[in-house]
Amino acid sequence: MMEDIKDREDLIKIVDTFYNTVKTDDTLGYIFDDVMHINWDKHLPKMYDFWENILFQTGNYSGRPFPVHLQVNEKQKLGDAEFNRWMQVFINTVNALYQGPKATELKQKAMNIQVIWKTKFNYINNSGTPHII
């Protein structure tokens, strides 16, 4: 039986594995490299803090990710295909590495984020509203 997520080190493993897949993904890779020009040395520690805060309520993340993604959306529309693929890669990553209540909770929280963001971006992209809703 696989172990459950227990700490930050487990989340680092998930985030690193997830982004290693994303970097070469046909749907998502170019968004990070060609559109966003991600500095991975800066981005990954933010993601470690983000997911640690999401799962363990550490309070160590204080960023505002939605406005950054709005800027991305101005260059490359983010829609169902991108959000669905993001979710698929995330779920597959967690399932490949961990199993248990915390793993299930992490996947559920990611799904909640995906549904909310997909809904907001679909509204923005289909209404011509370029601001935060």
PDB file of all heavy atoms in Angstrom, residues 54-74:
ATOM      1  N   ILE A  54      -2.460  25.146   1.301  1.00  0.00           N
ATOM      2  CA  ILE A  54      -3.761  24.571   0.930  1.00  0.00           C
ATOM      3  C   ILE A  54      -4.060  23.321   1.755  1.00  0.00           C
ATOM      4  O   ILE A  54      -5.157  23.154   2.278  1.00  0.00           O
ATOM      5  CB  ILE A  54      -3.791  24.230  -0.582  1.00  0.00           C
ATOM      6  CG1 ILE A  54      -3.806  25.504  -1.434  1.00  0.00           C
ATOM      7  CG2 ILE A  54      -4.953  23.318  -0.945  1.00  0.00           C
ATOM      8  CD1 ILE A  54      -5.086  26.292  -1.395  1.00  0.00           C
ATOM      9  N   LEU A  55      -3.066  22.432   1.879  1.00  0.00           N
ATOM     10  CA  LEU A  55      -3.323  21.151   2.543  1.00  0.00           C
ATOM     11  C   LEU A  55      -3.158  21.199   4.054  1.00  0.00           C
ATOM     12  O   LEU A  55      -3.921  20.573   4.785  1.00  0.00           O
ATOM     13  CB  LEU A  55      -2.403  20.070   1.954  1.00  0.00           C
ATOM     14  CG  LEU A  55      -2.732  18.636   2.370  1.00  0.00           C
ATOM     15  CD1 LEU A  55      -4.151  18.241   1.951  1.00  0.00           C
ATOM     16  CD2 LEU A  55      -1.718  17.672   1.774  1.00  0.00           C
ATOM     17  N   PHE A  56      -2.171  21.966   4.544  1.00  0.00           N
ATOM     18  CA  PHE A  56      -1.861  21.953   5.977  1.00  0.00           C
ATOM     19  C   PHE A  56      -2.124  23.296   6.672  1.00  0.00           C
ATOM     20  O   PHE A  56      -1.783  23.455   7.845  1.00  0.00           O
ATOM     21  CB  PHE A  56      -0.403  21.536   6.202  1.00  0.00           C
ATOM     22  CG  PHE A  56      -0.109  20.126   5.760  1.00  0.00           C
ATOM     23  CD1 PHE A  56       0.788  19.890   4.731  1.00  0.00           C
ATOM     24  CD2 PHE A  56      -0.717  19.039   6.358  1.00  0.00           C
ATOM     25  CE1 PHE A  56       1.076  18.591   4.317  1.00  0.00           C
ATOM     26  CE2 PHE A  56      -0.444  17.743   5.960  1.00  0.00           C
ATOM     27  CZ  PHE A  56       0.454  17.519   4.930  1.00  0.00           C
ATOM     28  N   GLN A  57      -2.704  24.268   5.956  1.00  0.00           N
ATOM     29  CA  GLN A  57      -3.021  25.589   6.514  1.00  0.00           C
ATOM     30  C   GLN A  57      -1.850  26.190   7.288  1.00  0.00           C
ATOM     31  O   GLN A  57      -1.997  26.641   8.417  1.00  0.00           O
ATOM     32  CB  GLN A  57      -4.269  25.537   7.421  1.00  0.00           C
ATOM     33  CG  GLN A  57      -5.541  25.143   6.721  1.00  0.00           C
ATOM     34  CD  GLN A  57      -5.713  23.638   6.608  1.00  0.00           C
ATOM     35  OE1 GLN A  57      -5.481  22.904   7.556  1.00  0.00           O
ATOM     36  NE2 GLN A  57      -6.107  23.158   5.451  1.00  0.00           N
ATOM     37  N   THR A  58      -0.685  26.232   6.644  1.00  0.00           N
ATOM     38  CA  THR A  58       0.518  26.740   7.296  1.00  0.00           C
ATOM     39  C   THR A  58       0.575  28.257   7.356  1.00  0.00           C
ATOM     40  O   THR A  58       1.310  28.811   8.168  1.00  0.00           O
ATOM     41  CB  THR A  58       1.772  26.237   6.560  1.00  0.00           C
ATOM     42  OG1 THR A  58       1.697  26.668   5.196  1.00  0.00           O
ATOM     43  CG2 THR A  58       1.899  24.731   6.651  1.00  0.00           C
ATOM     44  N   GLY A  59      -0.167  28.921   6.464  1.00  0.00           N
ATOM     45  CA  GLY A  59      -0.116  30.372   6.421  1.00  0.00           C
ATOM     46  C   GLY A  59       1.151  30.913   5.781  1.00  0.00           C
ATOM     47  O   GLY A  59       1.414  32.110   5.844  1.00  0.00           O
ATOM     48  N   ASN A  60       1.929  30.052   5.134  1.00  0.00           N
ATOM     49  CA  ASN A  60       3.203  30.498   4.569  1.00  0.00           C
ATOM     50  C   ASN A  60       3.092  30.940   3.112  1.00  0.00           C
ATOM     51  O   ASN A  60       4.108  31.184   2.475  1.00  0.00           O
ATOM     52  CB  ASN A  60       4.278  29.411   4.706  1.00  0.00           C
ATOM     53  CG  ASN A  60       3.930  28.144   3.964  1.00  0.00           C
ATOM     54  OD1 ASN A  60       2.809  27.969   3.508  1.00  0.00           O
ATOM     55  ND2 ASN A  60       4.885  27.243   3.868  1.00  0.00           N
ATOM     56  N   TYR A  61       1.880  31.052   2.599  1.00  0.00           N
ATOM     57  CA  TYR A  61       1.687  31.562   1.242  1.00  0.00           C
ATOM     58  C   TYR A  61       0.790  32.778   1.319  1.00  0.00           C
ATOM     59  O   TYR A  61      -0.302  32.734   1.883  1.00  0.00           O
ATOM     60  CB  TYR A  61       1.048  30.504   0.335  1.00  0.00           C
ATOM     61  CG  TYR A  61       0.825  31.023  -1.065  1.00  0.00           C
ATOM     62  CD1 TYR A  61       1.866  31.042  -1.983  1.00  0.00           C
ATOM     63  CD2 TYR A  61      -0.400  31.526  -1.455  1.00  0.00           C
ATOM     64  CE1 TYR A  61       1.683  31.543  -3.258  1.00  0.00           C
ATOM     65  CE2 TYR A  61      -0.598  32.024  -2.731  1.00  0.00           C
ATOM     66  CZ  TYR A  61       0.446  32.031  -3.627  1.00  0.00           C
ATOM     67  OH  TYR A  61       0.256  32.537  -4.890  1.00  0.00           O
ATOM     68  N   SER A  62       1.257  33.873   0.731  1.00  0.00           N
ATOM     69  CA  SER A  62       0.453  35.102   0.774  1.00  0.00           C
ATOM     70  C   SER A  62       0.288  35.720  -0.608  1.00  0.00           C
ATOM     71  O   SER A  62      -0.066  36.878  -0.729  1.00  0.00           O
ATOM     72  CB  SER A  62       1.091  36.114   1.729  1.00  0.00           C
ATOM     73  OG  SER A  62       2.391  36.452   1.272  1.00  0.00           O
ATOM     74  N   GLY A  63       0.561  34.949  -1.646  1.00  0.00           N
ATOM     75  CA  GLY A  63       0.471  35.469  -3.007  1.00  0.00           C
ATOM     76  C   GLY A  63      -0.961  35.623  -3.484  1.00  0.00           C
ATOM     77  O   GLY A  63      -1.919  35.246  -2.802  1.00  0.00           O
ATOM     78  N   ARG A  64      -1.075  36.199  -4.672  1.00  0.00           N
ATOM     79  CA  ARG A  64      -2.370  36.362  -5.333  1.00  0.00           C
ATOM     80  C   ARG A  64      -2.245  35.759  -6.732  1.00  0.00           C
ATOM     81  O   ARG A  64      -1.920  36.474  -7.684  1.00  0.00           O
ATOM     82  CB  ARG A  64      -2.731  37.838  -5.395  1.00  0.00           C
ATOM     83  CG  ARG A  64      -2.952  38.437  -3.993  1.00  0.00           C
ATOM     84  CD  ARG A  64      -3.410  39.880  -4.032  1.00  0.00           C
ATOM     85  NE  ARG A  64      -4.619  40.019  -4.817  1.00  0.00           N
ATOM     86  CZ  ARG A  64      -4.806  40.987  -5.734  1.00  0.00           C
ATOM     87  NH1 ARG A  64      -3.879  41.869  -5.962  1.00  0.00           N
ATOM     88  NH2 ARG A  64      -5.931  41.051  -6.416  1.00  0.00           N
ATOM     89  N   PRO A  65      -2.490  34.465  -6.875  1.00  0.00           N
ATOM     90  CA  PRO A  65      -2.249  33.810  -8.159  1.00  0.00           C
ATOM     91  C   PRO A  65      -3.229  34.182  -9.262  1.00  0.00           C
ATOM     92  O   PRO A  65      -2.874  34.136 -10.434  1.00  0.00           O
ATOM     93  CB  PRO A  65      -2.338  32.320  -7.828  1.00  0.00           C
ATOM     94  CG  PRO A  65      -3.159  32.241  -6.598  1.00  0.00           C
ATOM     95  CD  PRO A  65      -2.880  33.512  -5.833  1.00  0.00           C
ATOM     96  N   PHE A  66      -4.437  34.589  -8.922  1.00  0.00           N
ATOM     97  CA  PHE A  66      -5.424  34.852  -9.971  1.00  0.00           C
ATOM     98  C   PHE A  66      -5.012  36.002 -10.884  1.00  0.00           C
ATOM     99  O   PHE A  66      -5.091  35.864 -12.108  1.00  0.00           O
ATOM    100  CB  PHE A  66      -6.819  35.071  -9.372  1.00  0.00           C
ATOM    101  CG  PHE A  66      -7.899  34.972 -10.407  1.00  0.00           C
ATOM    102  CD1 PHE A  66      -8.375  33.731 -10.808  1.00  0.00           C
ATOM    103  CD2 PHE A  66      -8.430  36.102 -10.993  1.00  0.00           C
ATOM    104  CE1 PHE A  66      -9.362  33.630 -11.783  1.00  0.00           C
ATOM    105  CE2 PHE A  66      -9.414  36.014 -11.962  1.00  0.00           C
ATOM    106  CZ  PHE A  66      -9.889  34.765 -12.356  1.00  0.00           C
ATOM    107  N   PRO A  67      -4.577  37.154 -10.363  1.00  0.00           N
ATOM    108  CA  PRO A  67      -4.167  38.238 -11.272  1.00  0.00           C
ATOM    109  C   PRO A  67      -3.031  37.848 -12.216  1.00  0.00           C
ATOM    110  O   PRO A  67      -3.013  38.266 -13.374  1.00  0.00           O
ATOM    111  CB  PRO A  67      -3.727  39.361 -10.327  1.00  0.00           C
ATOM    112  CG  PRO A  67      -4.496  39.108  -9.068  1.00  0.00           C
ATOM    113  CD  PRO A  67      -4.586  37.601  -8.970  1.00  0.00           C
ATOM    114  N   VAL A  68      -2.111  37.034 -11.753  1.00  0.00           N
ATOM    115  CA  VAL A  68      -1.021  36.571 -12.612  1.00  0.00           C
ATOM    116  C   VAL A  68      -1.581  35.739 -13.765  1.00  0.00           C
ATOM    117  O   VAL A  68      -1.176  35.896 -14.922  1.00  0.00           O
ATOM    118  CB  VAL A  68       0.005  35.749 -11.799  1.00  0.00           C
ATOM    119  CG1 VAL A  68       1.043  35.114 -12.703  1.00  0.00           C
ATOM    120  CG2 VAL A  68       0.662  36.619 -10.745  1.00  0.00           C
ATOM    121  N   HIS A  69      -2.545  34.891 -13.467  1.00  0.00           N
ATOM    122  CA  HIS A  69      -3.148  34.062 -14.506  1.00  0.00           C
ATOM    123  C   HIS A  69      -4.022  34.889 -15.453  1.00  0.00           C
ATOM    124  O   HIS A  69      -4.164  34.533 -16.617  1.00  0.00           O
ATOM    125  CB  HIS A  69      -3.920  32.905 -13.880  1.00  0.00           C
ATOM    126  CG  HIS A  69      -3.022  31.871 -13.286  1.00  0.00           C
ATOM    127  ND1 HIS A  69      -2.419  32.032 -12.059  1.00  0.00           N
ATOM    128  CD2 HIS A  69      -2.580  30.683 -13.772  1.00  0.00           C
ATOM    129  CE1 HIS A  69      -1.667  30.980 -11.808  1.00  0.00           C
ATOM    130  NE2 HIS A  69      -1.737  30.151 -12.826  1.00  0.00           N
ATOM    131  N   LEU A  70      -4.566  35.987 -14.960  1.00  0.00           N
ATOM    132  CA  LEU A  70      -5.281  36.897 -15.859  1.00  0.00           C
ATOM    133  C   LEU A  70      -4.328  37.482 -16.898  1.00  0.00           C
ATOM    134  O   LEU A  70      -4.692  37.631 -18.068  1.00  0.00           O
ATOM    135  CB  LEU A  70      -5.933  38.043 -15.075  1.00  0.00           C
ATOM    136  CG  LEU A  70      -7.264  37.757 -14.413  1.00  0.00           C
ATOM    137  CD1 LEU A  70      -7.701  38.945 -13.563  1.00  0.00           C
ATOM    138  CD2 LEU A  70      -8.329  37.417 -15.438  1.00  0.00           C
ATOM    139  N   GLN A  71      -3.122  37.804 -16.475  1.00  0.00           N
ATOM    140  CA  GLN A  71      -2.112  38.313 -17.412  1.00  0.00           C
ATOM    141  C   GLN A  71      -1.760  37.254 -18.456  1.00  0.00           C
ATOM    142  O   GLN A  71      -1.592  37.572 -19.632  1.00  0.00           O
ATOM    143  CB  GLN A  71      -0.860  38.758 -16.661  1.00  0.00           C
ATOM    144  CG  GLN A  71      -1.078  39.967 -15.790  1.00  0.00           C
ATOM    145  CD  GLN A  71       0.124  40.269 -14.897  1.00  0.00           C
ATOM    146  OE1 GLN A  71       1.120  39.553 -14.904  1.00  0.00           O
ATOM    147  NE2 GLN A  71       0.018  41.332 -14.124  1.00  0.00           N
ATOM    148  N   VAL A  72      -1.656  36.025 -18.029  1.00  0.00           N
ATOM    149  CA  VAL A  72      -1.398  34.922 -18.965  1.00  0.00           C
ATOM    150  C   VAL A  72      -2.549  34.822 -19.952  1.00  0.00           C
ATOM    151  O   VAL A  72      -2.345  34.690 -21.162  1.00  0.00           O
ATOM    152  CB  VAL A  72      -1.214  33.582 -18.223  1.00  0.00           C
ATOM    153  CG1 VAL A  72      -1.122  32.419 -19.199  1.00  0.00           C
ATOM    154  CG2 VAL A  72       0.000  33.637 -17.313  1.00  0.00           C
ATOM    155  N   ASN A  73      -3.761  34.914 -19.447  1.00  0.00           N
ATOM    156  CA  ASN A  73      -4.958  34.781 -20.275  1.00  0.00           C
ATOM    157  C   ASN A  73      -5.035  35.866 -21.346  1.00  0.00           C
ATOM    158  O   ASN A  73      -5.608  35.648 -22.407  1.00  0.00           O
ATOM    159  CB  ASN A  73      -6.207  34.807 -19.392  1.00  0.00           C
ATOM    160  CG  ASN A  73      -7.459  34.437 -20.146  1.00  0.00           C
ATOM    161  OD1 ASN A  73      -7.595  33.308 -20.611  1.00  0.00           O
ATOM    162  ND2 ASN A  73      -8.372  35.378 -20.273  1.00  0.00           N
ATOM    163  N   GLU A  74      -4.457  37.032 -21.070  1.00  0.00           N
ATOM    164  CA  GLU A  74      -4.435  38.096 -22.079  1.00  0.00           C
ATOM    165  C   GLU A  74      -3.539  37.713 -23.257  1.00  0.00           C
ATOM    166  O   GLU A  74      -3.774  38.156 -24.377  1.00  0.00           O
ATOM    167  CB  GLU A  74      -3.966  39.404 -21.455  1.00  0.00           C
ATOM    168  CG  GLU A  74      -4.977  40.006 -20.502  1.00  0.00           C
ATOM    169  CD  GLU A  74      -4.473  41.240 -19.782  1.00  0.00           C
ATOM    170  OE1 GLU A  74      -3.388  41.761 -20.142  1.00  0.00           O
ATOM    171  OE2 GLU A  74      -5.155  41.683 -18.848  1.00  0.00           O
TER     172      GLU A  74
END
